[in-house]
Amino acid sequence: MDYYYDDYYDEYSEQSDLEAARLLHRELSIEETITNCVSPSLRFAAQYMINFVAINLLFSIVVLYLRKIFPNSERSLHLLSCLFGAALLYRVIDHGFYHFLQLAISLYVVQWTLHRWLSGSGRYIKTPFIVIAYGIGNLLVSELLEPSPETWNRIRGTQMILLMKALSLAFDTEEHQNLRNQLNVLSYTGYILCPANVVLGPWISFNDYLSIWKPSFAIGHSTGFAGLLIHVSRILISALAAVGCLLTSNCVIDYMLAPIASWKWVRAYGRALSFRTSHYFIAYLSQCSMIAAAVDWSPVSSPLAVEFPRSLVQVVTAWNIPMHVWLKRYIFRSTKRPFGTAAAIALTYIISSLLHGLHYRLWLTLLTIGSWTFVEHEVRKKLATIYSACVLVGKCPSSCIVHQHRSKSVFCIVVNTLFFVLNIFNLIYLGCIFETTEGPPEEADHDKSMFGRWTELNYASHWMLVFAYLFYFII
């Protein structure tokens, strides 16, 4: 769900950074910006978002009325979910639907076969890990065989959400026999095609999906007109936040940075911030879909926590909260006991990378983030121990009794500020290699395009990572 589809800037995608800088350096008036950027972006947002809001709102209304008629029939929920989810996929994804279909069907067949023939056999490799291996293998092979990179980029996020749902089912049904008994072709299809998150996410568990049929999750948490008004206002707030992030990504950043865009670090900052705000657009839009469908929801992303990070661990957690929960629950905890903490962390980052497909830039970015989070955690832990100070990765309570120097002391303020600046620097460096409209079709052909922007910045973050690791040993 880290991608959105906007062809407006495709004409600039093949220009060099210096050419792009010269374009940005040209003073644009407010009128030009509105005409050439804001208006097309608003048209795109309206055309794209109306499908999610309208279909999910209609879905929630129909569920509300059918639940009154058939209060104990979850079959109605599954049928409605299949119907509205398929309609949303048809409206939004114009190509590549066969990839979604074959992955969904084959994953169900694999799980059904494993549960029927191998369940409870005492084997060393558990069913969920077999499903993980098959699902990721299927995903990567499908991407390699797809002749059109553009088509795959349009369904990349959808395929990832589908795989996350199927894998969570594999783990949950392995542990809970009652849940396995509820799972059949209809309930599986309804869960996979749930219109609230079939295209953009976020991931929700099978039990959360079933909760849609419970009266406590009606439209709004109040009845009558007041409940409907609250429900619509929540949809509008999320939709406006999504549009604001889209306009910031497409228009505001370029307009604001145009006078100083000749400096390479300013260009890097602009690209990184544009990438992050495009992610927030998707996060708020997916949140809007969840609210419209009357699904119990929590924030998908926390932009303030990402933009003002105490640590990179906070960035990783707040970037995509449901995916962080999924990785922690099903990958980290499942591998920590047999393989240890270090191996579990490594496997978590590997699985997270592979879920995004053959996205080499993302692989390198996640590898760098994983290295930085480990080094930052260890350095701050060591500093906190040596100086008895509240400088850990996580914030200490205001009445901390463990450390002598609390968070408001001069020493703690200085150290935490230095790490804050370091993390802002890493956000710029790590995000600048992404484009808001990009996918990885050229990455395999042009190593220069993959490393060019880090080369332009002299691999500064990677050199600082080496120095930070040496500093950890010195102190």
Side-chain angles (χ1 to χ4, degrees):
M1 62 179 283
D2 295 342
Y3 305 93
Y4 72 94
Y5 318 122
D6 183 6
D7 298 329
Y8 179 66
Y9 281 109
D10 282 354
E11 61 184 292
Y12 298 105
S13 62
E14 297 180 357
Q15 295 170 335
S16 68
D17 288 341
L18 291 178
E19 290 174 332
R22 284 195 291 269
L23 284 172
L24 289 176
H25 191 67
R26 181 172 63 87
E27 295 292 340
L28 296 175
S29 67
I30 289 290
E31 292 76 12
E32 287 179 312
T33 302
I34 292 175
T35 302
N36 299 326
C37 184
V38 174
S39 295
S41 296
L42 287 176
R43 286 197 299 271
F44 162 77
Q47 294 170 0
Y48 195 59
M49 295 173 65
I50 192 66
N51 293 298
F52 292 92
V53 175
I55 291 177
N56 279 289
L57 191 57
L58 183 59
F59 169 73
S60 65
I61 293 172
V62 175
V63 166
L64 176 64
Y65 284 101
L66 282 185
R67 188 171 52 209
K68 293 180 180 179
I69 301 173
F70 309 105
N72 299 318
S73 176
E74 289 185 347
R75 180 183 295 270
S76 300
L77 168 65
H78 305 320
L79 290 172
L80 290 173
S81 183
C82 293
L83 176 64
F84 284 93
L88 183 59
L89 278 176
Y90 176 78
R91 291 285 300 172
V92 175
I93 299 178
D94 49 356
H95 299 290
F97 185 78
Y98 54 90
H99 286 297
F100 181 92
L101 195 62
Q102 71 84 17
L103 182 59
I105 294 174
S106 62
L107 281 169
Y108 180 80
V109 171
V110 168
Q111 290 192 53
W112 180 86
T113 303
L114 291 174
H115 286 154
R116 183 175 179 84
W117 301 106
L118 297 178
S119 180
S121 62
R123 62 199 179 284
Y124 180 73
I125 300 178
K126 300 298 182 181
T127 296
F129 295 104
I130 299 176
V131 178
I132 287 176
Y134 170 78
I136 291 179
N138 185 302
L139 196 71
L140 299 180
V141 171
S142 296
E143 182 171 0
L144 287 172
L145 295 178
E146 171 56 51
S148 171
E150 292 77 13
T151 296
W152 186 261
N153 290 335
R154 287 181 175 272
I155 64 171
R156 179 185 300 277
T158 304
Q159 294 292 92
M160 182 176 68
I161 293 298
L162 164 59
L163 187 53
M164 289 174 64
K165 287 183 177 181
L167 295 182
S168 67
L169 272 180
F171 280 98
D172 291 341
T173 54
E174 179 79 3
E175 297 177 359
H176 306 289
Q177 182 64 40
N178 291 335
L179 186 61
R180 188 187 303 181
N181 294 335
Q182 296 181 58
L183 190 64
N184 53 47
V185 174
L186 182 59
S187 60
Y188 171 84
T189 307
Y191 174 52
I192 293 299
L193 286 175
C194 179
N197 61 352
V198 64
V199 177
L200 300 177
W203 168 82
I204 59 173
S205 69
F206 186 68
N207 282 329
D208 291 335
Y209 160 71
L210 293 179
S211 297
I212 299 174
W213 199 250
K214 296 180 180 178
S216 58
F217 294 99
I219 293 180
H221 291 283
S222 304
T223 58
F225 180 76
L228 181 62
L229 188 63
I230 294 173
H231 188 66
V232 172
S233 66
R234 288 173 176 170
I235 296 173
L236 288 176
I237 290 172
S238 293
L240 289 174
V243 171
C245 291
L246 179 65
L247 293 179
T248 301
S249 177
N250 283 2
C251 310
V252 176
I253 295 173
D254 287 349
Y255 178 79
M256 297 296 293
L257 298 182
I260 53 175
S262 58
W263 190 31
K264 63 182 180 181
W265 280 101
V266 172
R267 295 199 301 274
Y269 172 77
R271 285 192 296 264
L273 183 58
S274 181
F275 170 70
R276 295 198 301 274
T277 49
S278 71
H279 168 73
Y280 304 148
F281 164 68
I282 287 296
Y284 280 117
L285 178 53
S286 62
Q287 184 173 297
C288 184
S289 297
M290 295 283 284
I291 298 172
V295 179
D296 190 36
W297 60 279
S298 58
V300 178
S301 183
S302 177
L304 286 178
V306 175
E307 297 301 320
F308 302 97
R310 177 184 176 88
S311 66
L312 278 182
V313 173
Q314 179 178 310
V315 174
V316 171
T317 303
W319 179 257
N320 189 331
I321 297 172
M323 187 167 191
H324 170 74
V325 172
W326 186 91
L327 289 168
K328 184 177 181 180
R329 180 186 300 178
Y330 297 113
I331 307 301
F332 179 76
R333 290 178 179 173
S334 299
T335 56
K336 181 180 178 181
R337 179 175 295 179
F339 303 116
T341 301
I345 293 174
L347 286 171
T348 300
Y349 276 100
I350 291 172
I351 296 298
S352 177
S353 301
L354 294 176
L355 283 173
H356 289 83
L358 299 174
H359 201 315
Y360 307 117
R361 294 181 184 180
L362 183 67
W363 292 1
L364 292 171
T365 301
L366 288 177
L367 177 62
T368 305
I369 290 176
S371 302
W372 260 118
T373 52
F374 172 77
V375 172
E376 182 188 7
H377 178 274
E378 295 302 315
V379 168
R380 297 181 76 156
K381 181 179 178 181
K382 212 167 188 179
L383 289 173
T385 302
I386 294 173
Y387 298 102
S388 185
C390 294
V391 295
L392 292 169
V393 167
K395 188 176 182 180
C396 294
S398 56
S399 58
C400 179
I401 59 175
V402 177
H403 302 115
Q404 181 180 351
H405 300 285
R406 296 184 180 177
S407 57
K408 293 184 179 180
S409 67
V410 175
F411 176 80
C412 292
I413 291 175
V414 171
V415 172
N416 289 327
T417 301
L418 288 174
F419 277 105
F420 170 77
V421 173
L422 175 63
N423 290 322
I424 293 294
F425 165 79
N426 278 324
L427 284 178
I428 297 173
Y429 180 86
L430 295 172
C432 73
I433 65 171
F434 296 100
E435 294 283 359
T436 55
T437 58
E438 67 132 356
E442 295 86 9
E443 290 180 354
D445 301 324
H446 308 296
D447 286 343
K448 183 178 178 181
S449 68
M450 199 190 322
F451 298 103
R453 289 168 184 167
W454 281 352
T455 303
E456 183 185 9
L457 302 178
N458 302 313
Y459 297 97
S461 180
H462 289 92
W463 282 113
M464 291 186 67
L465 176 61
V466 173
F467 292 142
Y469 197 63
L470 293 175
F471 177 71
Y472 165 72
F473 283 106
I474 292 173
I475 61 174

